[in-house]
Amino acid sequence: MENLGSGGIIVAVVKQFWPVWIALALTFAVSFRFKRRLGLYGKLFDSTIAMIGFALVMFWVFTAIFADMIVTYDVLAQISQMKNKVPGTATPDGAGWYLLGGDHLGRDVFSRMVMGSRVVIIIAPFATVFAFMVGITLGLPAGYYGGRLDAFLSFLANLILAFPVILLFYLLVTREIVETGVPQYMAVVLFLFPIAFLLVLINSRYYVTPVLRNTLVLAVVIVGGYIYLSLVSEDGTKIAVLPNAIDLIHMPGNILIVFVSVVFVNAPTVFRIVRGIVLDIKTRDYVAAGQTRGERPWYIMIWEILPNARGPLIVDFCLRIGYTTILLGTLGFFGLGLTPESPDWGSTINAGRKLITIAQHPAIVPALALMSLVLGLNLLADGLREESLKD
Amino acid sequence: MLGFLLRRFGTVLLTALCLTFIVFFLTNLPPNLEKLAKTEAGSRISDEEVASWLDKNGYSSPVLVRYGEWLGVVPGWTREADGVKTGRCIAPGMEPADAPRYCGIFQGDWGFSTFFKSPVSEKLGYHLGLTGILMFWVMVVMVPVSLIIGVLAGMREGSKLDRTLSTVSIASTATPEYVSGVILIAVFASSMFGLKWFKGTATGAMDHITFDNFFLPVITIALYGIGYIARMTRASMTEVMTAQYIRTARLKGVSFKNVVMKHALRNALIAPFTVIMLQFPWLLNGVVIVESLFSYKGFGWTLVQAAGNNDINLLLGCSVVAVVVVLVTQLISDIGYVYLNPRIRIS
């Protein structure tokens, strides 16, 4: 088979992404059709910038979902004749092409880039959600009560923020520290927050109907508690509470550590944002009205203040996923946490940059992928901000 | 004002102590010490030998005591074996009687780097100097460019120019250093397009800085910061442009150029000042990435080497420097903000 020219490469790559195009077209068609009934999400489709951002983000989300159908080769398969070959080179067996070339070990750059999106699309949003749960659970009372609690929590947050991120990563993710179980202990603490948040949420809402509240609380404790234990414990490490047989969620140790350190770095910023908004909102009349009615503090915090803070929080959520993506890339770039053969973008950029004078595409392809995802998230956040300011 | 300064200073000191203790604790965990013993005394030694080596070198005392020794507020340890007195403060070849009682960073003794085999203070000073040069040029490029972009965009909100420049700044904040660095090297310093305008490494710049070996690292760090500062400047500028006094000035017939230059600019630049100061901790990140990417042996490179090679003293030194840089810039930004903006009253 012949090698492909640049036109041929583009056609082949576009063709390879067919499930993504179909899914994107469907999403946009449905959203356009019902855009007036979809609230803030529908308003996105009034702004070109927001639509571009949304399209970029959804492109990578669908790529991550359909990655198995898109890849042309196994991400770990090495063909030694294909080392550092330029994009569009035909494989020696004549079955196909390395669409975006081969890397220093003769693996397909295109397939690795596609599979790498999975690592980011799974970890980044989840880590951001966790960071938000921690930030909200601590930021609400800090802003609402003020005083000593606020001083103490703000001091802690500033302490973490004063740490240079890379130093923190090096301290948390190196093998010696992992052996002592420090990141796992941090996971034990950090993962408690989502459960605590849900419990407070339910308790403050259904306090007056004890039966319903008790059932819901019980459900959260059992389901959440099981997921919690299953996430935290892993056989053969410092924390192995659950026996292997009923431990359903197996998070490979290093992914857990990456996850924890990313949450740890993001949570203080969220805390500061939430605290700032609460300080502003708690002077409003409807909060005073709630207090006069005799509502309990947590009800006011979660059901009166939080919904009114959603605008800035949603915008920050988008930005923060982008920032988390950058952090994950940084970790990969320094070879921390994830295994070297992992196809995530940071690690592949790191592997590719070492030989960049010989072959550029192994580093450029994941770099552009990462950039387009973060750009999409930032554009989306910008569009959301503009649209939410309009009313 | 004095009370405010004292209180801020107290918080900074407390933060610095907490942070250095955390770093000290994390770098002095048992596995790190064991690894240190094995690299220093031979990798095949038994567990008892590790324990005795650690004891002989003063690592067996509680972590708080060792932290105090490192700070220089607790007397350095001394041991006596076979009639020879050794101790933390007793340098090789020194009479034990002459040795000082305290030797920690308060006394200017930063310890000895096990990886570079030289005193930490010497090593850090040299590499910090190199990073200082890099930072200086980054600031020279980043600050004017971002302020100009921000002011131009914020001067007429919603105009074509504003939209274009805002999109450019968003794109620049979406490009972390390791992405822009790789792309810049590939485009301008490799055979990809045949444009070999600049050098892909900055190793030569350590002795002799030229435009083609220093341009790429500087621009890589600056690019990521430009977008953020420009957006802050734009936000501040648009806010000022809608203020009453600007409208008054326009209505009384001052030209648009004069309104921007004489009335708006000064007030619009207060917020970016804080942002630029707070940008330093981020630049520190960028420095570590770019120095590794361009193999420029500055502070960031030293930090990576220290962390990668379990060089405890050097890593502690690096973190002290990093923490001090972050806290001092925060302090300057606080004080500067109060100084620049007379409307802020401190109770």
Side-chain angles (χ1 to χ4, degrees), chain B residues 141-336:
Chain B
V141 174
M142 185 172 79
V143 173
V145 171
S146 52
L147 290 185
I148 289 171
I149 292 181
V151 168
L152 283 180
M155 160 172 104
R156 288 184 212 264
E157 196 184 359
S159 64
K160 267 244 169 68
L161 185 68
D162 176 23
R163 297 208 169 267
T164 324
L165 288 178
S166 295
T167 314
V168 170
S169 357
I170 292 180
S172 112
T173 43
T175 322
E177 292 91 351
Y178 51 89
V179 169
S180 51
V182 161
I183 293 176
L184 286 172
I185 293 181
V187 173
F188 293 116
S190 78
S191 52
M192 191 167 144
F193 294 118
L195 302 173
K196 292 195 171 177
W197 293 352
F198 305 108
K199 287 210 175 69
T201 81
T203 318
M206 293 190 306
D207 304 318
H208 180 65
I209 293 178
T210 56
F211 184 67
D212 52 318
N213 64 18
F214 217 47
F215 181 73
L216 285 185
V218 168
I219 213 73
T220 307
I221 304 182
L223 258 183
Y224 190 46
I226 282 176
Y228 189 63
I229 302 180
R231 285 173 83 178
M232 289 296 153
T233 317
R234 177 189 171 274
S236 154
M237 188 71 188
T238 50
E239 203 190 314
V240 169
M241 287 305 278
T242 54
Q244 298 280 349
Y245 61 88
I246 296 291
R247 202 179 52 180
T248 314
R250 280 298 276 158
L251 287 179
K252 84 186 177 185
V254 183
S255 70
F256 186 74
K257 196 183 123 200
N258 269 341
V259 167
V260 171
M261 297 301 286
K262 293 198 174 142
H263 297 247
L265 212 53
R266 270 193 66 164
N267 289 305
L269 290 185
I270 295 176
F273 169 77
T274 334
V275 177
I276 291 171
M277 277 334 249
L278 293 180
Q279 199 68 16
F280 267 96
W282 293 80
L283 285 182
L284 219 58
N285 267 340
V287 162
V288 179
I289 293 170
V290 165
E291 284 181 1
S292 313
L293 188 58
F294 288 92
S295 34
Y296 181 75
K297 297 191 171 71
F299 174 72
W301 180 84
T302 317
L303 199 157
V304 172
Q305 296 303 320
N309 293 300
N310 196 36
D311 190 339
I312 297 176
N313 280 329
L314 189 58
L315 190 57
L316 278 169
C318 285
S319 20
V320 170
V321 172
V323 164
V324 166
V325 166
V326 172
L327 293 177
V328 166
T329 47
Q330 274 179 6
L331 198 64
I332 294 177
S333 99
D334 274 8
I335 297 169

Side-chain angles (χ1 to χ4, degrees), chain A residues 190-241:
Chain A
L190 286 177
F191 289 180
L192 267 183
F193 281 97
I195 299 181
F197 179 76
L198 282 180
L199 286 181
V200 177
L201 186 90
I202 292 166
N203 184 43
S204 59
R205 180 83 204 194
Y206 298 111
Y207 189 71
V208 281
T209 47
V211 180
L212 180 59
R213 181 200 59 173
N214 290 347
T215 356
L216 283 174
V217 164
L218 200 68
V220 169
V221 168
I222 291 175
V223 176
Y226 175 70
I227 295 176
Y228 171 77
L229 287 178
S230 185
L231 267 178
V232 166
S233 80
E234 191 66 42
D235 238 18
T237 57
K238 288 265 171 187
I239 300 164
V241 205

